[in-house]
C-alpha cells in the first residue's frame, strides 16, 4: 500500500492536472459577477483598494509559505507550521462590512481587547484555504460602503500570538457606486443547506465539472463549509473514521464562514471520485459526510 506521503502527492498531482485543464492559470474557471483577486501571505492580503458595487466574486490565492514549501515538496501540516504554530501559514478570507466612521485600525483595537465580533463590523463570510495554484472563491452582492478583508485564523486559540488579525492581516476595501447594469446572480447547480450541528444536505447529486453551489445556513451560528477529495485507495467511510495519524485529504475549496441565517455562493470544479463535505474545523467530525461525484448532466 502506498505511504501517506505518496498518496498525498498523487492526490495533489491529480488536482493540479485539473487546475491546468479547467480553473488554472491558462483557462481560469468562469466565476459570477466582477472577479476580485486576493493574494494571502504572512501576514497580508494583496487586493484592490477600491471596487465597484454589485455582484462580486473574491478569488483567494495562497502566496506565502504554503506556496513556497509546496514547491519544495513539503506535505501535510508542515506546509503551514512554523515557529511552534501549526497554522501560521494557513490563511482564509473573511469580508467584513464596517459601519460609518469605523476603520481597520478600530477592528485591530477591538481584537486586541478580546472582541472576536463587534456589532459595527458584521462578517459577511468568505473563502477558505486551498493548496496553490488552485484558488477558492466566494460570491457576495456588495452595496457601496467601507469594508475590510480579514483573516480570523487563530482567533479561537488562547495563545493570542497565533491570531492573524493581531499580526496585521486585515486590509481596507472601499466599495463605490457602479454605473451601468448590475450583474445578475448566477444559475445555481446545487443548493447546500446547513442544519442542526452543522449537517449538510444537497438539493441534488453533485456531478463532475464546474458547479455553482449556494450554501444556506439555516442555523443560528457561523459554520465553515468545505470539501476534501478522499485519497486514492480509501473509501469515504474509512477516511472519516480515521484516528491518530490521519491520512490527509486534499481541499478542493469552500468557505471560511457562512453567517447564521444567510446564504453565500461558491463555484467549484469537481472531478469524478469520492469526496467529503464538512462544516467543522476538522473534517473528521460526526457531522461530516462522504459522497460520490459521477459523470453526467445535471
Amino acid at each position: 500500500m502506498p505511504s501517506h506521503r505518496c498518496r498525498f502527492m498523487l492526490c495533489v498531482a491529480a488536482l493540479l492536472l485539473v487546475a491546468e485543464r479547467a480553473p488554472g492559470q491558462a483557462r481560469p474557471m468562469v466565476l459570477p459577477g466582477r472577479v476580485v483577486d486576493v493574494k494571502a501571505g504572512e501576514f497580508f492580503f494583496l487586493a484592490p483598494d477600491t471596487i465597484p458595487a454589485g455582484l462580486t466574486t473574491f478569488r483567494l490565492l495562497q502566496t506565502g509559505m504554503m506556496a513556497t514549501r509546496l514547491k519544495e515538496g513539503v506535505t501535510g501540516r508542515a506546509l503551514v507550521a512554523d515557529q511552534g504554530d501549526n497554522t501560521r501559514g494557513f490563511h482564509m478570507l473573511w469580508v467584513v462590512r464596517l459601519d460609518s466612521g469605523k476603520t481597520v485600525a478600530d477592528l485591530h483595537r477591538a481584537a486586541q481587547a478580546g472582541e472576536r465580533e463587534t456589532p459595527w463590523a458584521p462578517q459577511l463570510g468568505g473563502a477558505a484555504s486551498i493548496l496553490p495554484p488552485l484558488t477558492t472563491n466566494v460570491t457576495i452582492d456588495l452595496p457601496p460602503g467601507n469594508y475590510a478583508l480579514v483573516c480570523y485564523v487563530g482567533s479561537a486559540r488562547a495563545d493570542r500570538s497565533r491570531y492573524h488579525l493581531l499580526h496585521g492581516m486585515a486590509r481596507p476595501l472601499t466599495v463605490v457606486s457602479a454605473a451601468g447594469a448590475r450583474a445578475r446572480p448566477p444559475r445555481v447547480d446545487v443548493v447546500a443547506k446547513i442544519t442542526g450541528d452543522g449537517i449538510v444536505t444537497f438539493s441534488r447529486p453533485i456531478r463532475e465539472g464546474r458547479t455553482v453551489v449556494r450554501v444556506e445556513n439555516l442555523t443560528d451560528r457561523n459554520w465553515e463549509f468545505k470539501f476534501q477529495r478522499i485519497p486514492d485507495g480509501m473509501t469515504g467511510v474509512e477516511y472519516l473514521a480515521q484516528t491518530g495519524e490521519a491520512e490527509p485529504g486534499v481541499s478542493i475549496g469552500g468557505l471560511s464562514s457562512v453567517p447564521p441565517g444567510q446564504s453565500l455562493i461558491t463555484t467549484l470544479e469537481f472531478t469524478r471520485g469520492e469526496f467529503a463535505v464538512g462544516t467543522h474545523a476538522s473534517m473528521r467530525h460526526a457531522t461530516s459526510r462522504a459522497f460520490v461525484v459521477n459523470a453526467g448532466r445535471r
Side-chain angles (χ1 to χ4, degrees):
M1 179 177 292
S3 67
H4 284 192
R5 176 183 172 86
C6 289
R7 284 189 192 171
F8 182 88
M9 293 308 295
L10 286 171
C11 206
V12 171
L15 289 175
L16 294 184
L17 179 60
V18 171
E20 291 175 1
R21 290 203 309 261
Q25 306 306 310
R27 293 192 300 160
M29 181 167 55
V30 176
L31 297 172
R34 178 175 286 103
V35 177
V36 174
D37 284 308
V38 180
K39 296 180 179 179
E42 293 71 59
F43 290 96
F44 62 84
F45 287 117
L46 295 179
D49 297 321
T50 304
I51 62 172
L55 193 70
T56 304
T57 294
F58 293 93
R59 181 168 54 193
L60 180 65
L61 173 68
Q62 305 293 325
T63 61
M65 71 170 67
M66 184 190 295
T68 300
R69 292 181 178 180
L70 186 62
K71 291 178 182 178
E72 295 171 348
V74 178
T75 63
R77 180 63 67 181
L79 279 168
V80 296
D82 195 48
Q83 300 182 29
D85 180 357
N86 284 339
T87 58
R88 186 175 177 85
F90 178 82
H91 307 299
M92 297 196 286
L93 169 68
W94 279 259
V95 181
V96 177
R97 175 78 184 263
L98 299 175
D99 282 0
S100 178
K102 295 297 184 179
T103 67
V104 167
D106 294 319
L107 200 63
H108 189 269
R109 281 192 288 270
Q112 288 178 314
E115 297 180 48
R116 172 59 172 78
E117 298 183 22
T118 58
W120 46 264
Q123 298 170 21
L124 308 183
S129 184
I130 197 171
L131 293 176
L134 298 178
T135 60
T136 49
N137 61 81
V138 59
T139 301
I140 308 174
D141 199 350
L142 296 177
N146 294 319
Y147 296 79
L149 306 180
V150 182
C151 183
Y152 285 109
V153 169
S155 60
R157 296 177 178 270
D159 182 357
R160 304 292 284 172
S161 69
R162 300 188 179 195
Y163 191 177
H164 291 192
L165 173 54
L166 291 182
H167 284 285
M169 199 163 178
R171 181 182 179 90
L173 175 69
T174 302
V175 177
V176 298
S177 298
R182 294 174 62 89
R184 300 177 62 182
R187 181 181 68 84
V188 172
D189 299 306
V190 176
V191 177
K193 294 184 178 181
I194 304 175
T195 60
D197 188 31
I199 297 171
V200 176
T201 59
F202 297 134
S203 61
R204 64 185 65 180
I206 295 178
R207 303 294 185 183
E208 69 172 337
R210 176 183 179 272
T211 305
V212 178
V213 181
R214 184 172 73 241
V215 186
E216 300 178 354
N217 183 355
L218 305 183
T219 77
D220 59 359
R221 60 166 287 186
N222 269 294
W223 294 104
E224 294 184 33
F225 177 81
K226 56 195 177 185
F227 292 98
Q228 288 183 0
R229 184 178 177 89
I230 305 300
D232 293 339
M234 299 186 74
T235 67
V237 172
E238 291 170 338
Y239 173 71
L240 293 176
Q242 292 178 102
T243 59
E245 186 181 352
E247 180 79 12
V250 177
S251 172
I252 70 156
L255 302 169
S256 61
S257 168
V258 185
Q262 302 298 313
S263 65
L264 291 173
I265 286 175
T266 186
T267 306
L268 304 106
E269 183 80 21
F270 286 94
T271 56
R272 279 176 281 181
E274 195 165 10
F275 294 80
V277 61
T279 56
H280 290 257
S282 172
M283 187 64 78
R284 292 170 190 88
H285 189 274
T287 58
S288 298
R289 55 171 289 205
F291 64 96
V292 176
V293 172
N294 294 310
R297 296 181 178 179
R298 297 184 181 91

